[in-house]
Amino acid sequence: MNLKQLSESLGLSQTTVSRALNGYPEVREETRLRVQAAAEAAQYTPNVKARRLATGRAMAIGHVMPMVHRSEMVNPIFADFIAGAGEVYAREGYDLLLSIVPVDETEAAYRQMSANASVDGVIVQAPTMEDPRVPLLQELGLPFLVHGRTASPQGYSWLDVANIRAFQRATEFLLDLGHRKIALVNGQETLDFARRRRVGFEQAMAARDLAPNPAWMQSDVMTEEYGYRAASEMLDAPNPPTAFLAASIIPAIGIRRAAGERGLRIAKDVSIICHDDGLSYLGNEGNEMPGGPAFTATRSSIRAAGTRCAEILLSLIDTPNQPPVQELWDTDLTVGRSTGPAPV
């Protein structure tokens, strides 16, 4: 069945049916529901080319990946985010346009998308504290949503995790276990989320009149090798930490490897807390096991974030004059098998 046949069966114009299926606000709710029910019953699938002509939209969402030699974006976290967002795009008839460019060509990529009208909106990921992409997209008038936020998060739409509170809670948990020698293995602190996690760690320490040891604080791209290298250096020092706070489960696995090579028992000789993004193929499973998951972790699903970011962006495209949408997600603190009382 095509659009003409569906319209004739309903006794409505093709324009009305098209607008009803695409969520235009001027279509009455009763009509919209009737059209959707008929389309589902007939297993009608809109023709993408016709939909583009009817709506004047590109029916595509842009993701620009700035590539450098070592990129925070090229990891399982980015893949799971895209998987979540992609489900929404597919359901709503949008394509995903992924543009991989050198970091110094990022601005040009956005300008070309805008000039060519090749996308209806973009999602910005891994924002820095003062991210130049935000004012650029505001200048271009291109609908956008930031996954994360900048140091000044006013005037634009974003979805972020409560990173400060998450790492406050994680640090407090270790402090309550008696740990005082706590290391922070953070992500790149040019990125806003990592800066906030460091602030949460420092605030929790200061609340107990403790000062973090600079020798136990590192930041870098969140890889397993980075976690292993950072933990190895700290554990081989004369005064090693008894606990580690890792910005992701990925470096936490490296920390666990370094401890194991030195004969240290996890949760006995050294404790580890990480942030768990609920990665599909690198999960922190084991809720059914005695002691719970492998790692004690603050948790917020990156895939769910991708889904919600896509939903918000499409709403911004459909209703362009609405106020900025800003959502701050809290995290769960799940106790696993990687933490225990500080060794005596």
Side-chain angles (χ1 to χ4, degrees):
M1 177 176 283
N2 59 32
L3 179 63
K4 181 179 179 182
Q5 292 169 328
L6 179 63
S7 302
E8 290 175 348
S9 71
L10 289 165
L12 298 171
S13 70
Q14 294 183 45
T15 300
T16 298
V17 171
S18 176
R19 288 180 176 274
L21 291 172
N22 289 302
Y24 277 73
E26 61 266 28
V27 178
R28 292 172 53 193
E29 181 68 7
E30 178 184 349
T31 302
R32 185 182 65 80
L33 293 174
R34 180 180 163 219
V35 170
Q36 287 182 340
E40 291 174 6
Q43 297 183 324
Y44 169 74
T45 302
N47 180 282
V48 174
K49 289 184 178 178
R51 188 176 179 187
R52 286 170 178 164
L53 289 172
T55 62
R57 295 180 183 173
M59 300 307 299
I61 302 298
H63 290 254
V64 176
M65 180 190 292
M67 286 295 297
V68 293
H69 176 62
R70 303 191 318 160
S71 176
E72 183 72 27
M73 301 285 283
V74 185
N75 57 37
I77 297 172
F78 178 73
D80 267 33
F81 181 92
I82 289 295
E87 290 178 354
V88 177
Y89 300 156
R91 183 181 73 225
E92 300 298 328
Y94 282 80
D95 293 327
L96 187 159
L97 178 60
L98 177 61
S99 183
I100 302 175
V101 300
V103 67
D104 59 351
E105 295 180 15
T106 302
E107 178 180 341
Y110 285 119
R111 289 191 180 279
Q112 184 174 20
M113 284 181 172
S114 177
N116 295 343
S118 56
V119 298
D120 300 303
V122 299
I123 289 182
V124 174
Q125 292 175 261
T128 59
M129 290 181 286
E130 303 294 336
D131 200 305
R133 292 174 292 181
V134 170
L136 170 64
L137 290 168
Q138 290 173 328
E139 172 199 332
L140 295 174
L142 193 61
F144 71 97
L145 178 127
V146 178
H147 178 221
R149 51 187 158 151
T150 63
S152 300
Q154 295 82 29
Y156 64 91
S157 297
W158 51 262
L159 181 148
D160 198 9
V161 169
N163 287 296
I164 293 177
R165 179 59 186 150
F167 270 43
Q168 280 179 331
R169 293 175 64 195
T171 306
E172 289 165 355
F173 184 83
L174 291 172
L175 292 168
D176 289 343
L177 288 171
H179 292 278
R180 295 297 180 267
K181 299 190 292 184
I182 304 173
L184 175 65
V185 180
N186 205 3
Q188 294 167 287
E189 292 181 2
T190 54
L191 300 176
D192 187 76
F193 84 89
R195 181 189 66 86
R196 292 181 188 272
R197 291 179 185 177
R198 177 178 181 136
V199 169
F201 168 66
E202 292 175 334
Q203 287 181 352
M205 294 287 282
R208 305 287 181 98
D209 295 322
L210 297 170
N213 185 338
W216 299 337
M217 301 173 72
Q218 292 199 24
S219 66
D220 208 336
V221 178
M222 297 187 298
T223 64
E224 190 275 347
E225 177 60 28
Y226 157 56
Y228 171 77
R229 172 174 44 80
S232 295
E233 293 175 4
M234 296 180 198
L235 291 172
D236 288 341
N239 181 32
T242 63
F244 289 86
L245 185 56
S248 166
I249 194 172
I250 302 172
I253 293 171
I255 295 169
R256 183 174 62 185
R257 175 162 68 100
E261 284 186 358
R262 286 154 180 80
L264 299 173
R265 299 165 298 170
I266 302 299
K268 298 292 185 181
D269 303 311
V270 65
S271 290
I272 305 171
I273 294 184
C274 66
H275 182 74
D276 174 20
D277 288 291
L279 301 178
S280 58
Y281 50 95
L282 194 63
N284 186 27
E285 305 302 330
N287 285 317
E288 72 288 350
M289 297 181 64
F295 289 101
T296 296
T298 60
R299 182 168 188 173
S300 181
S301 168
I302 192 69
R303 191 183 185 108
T307 297
R308 182 60 183 145
C309 283
E311 291 172 346
I312 295 172
L313 180 58
L314 295 189
S315 78
L316 294 172
I317 293 168
D318 287 338
T319 312
N321 295 323
Q322 65 178 294
V325 178
Q326 300 178 342
E327 292 188 8
L328 186 63
W329 287 12
D330 204 354
T331 60
D332 297 320
L333 179 61
T334 303
V335 179
R337 291 170 279 138
S338 65
T339 50
V344 178

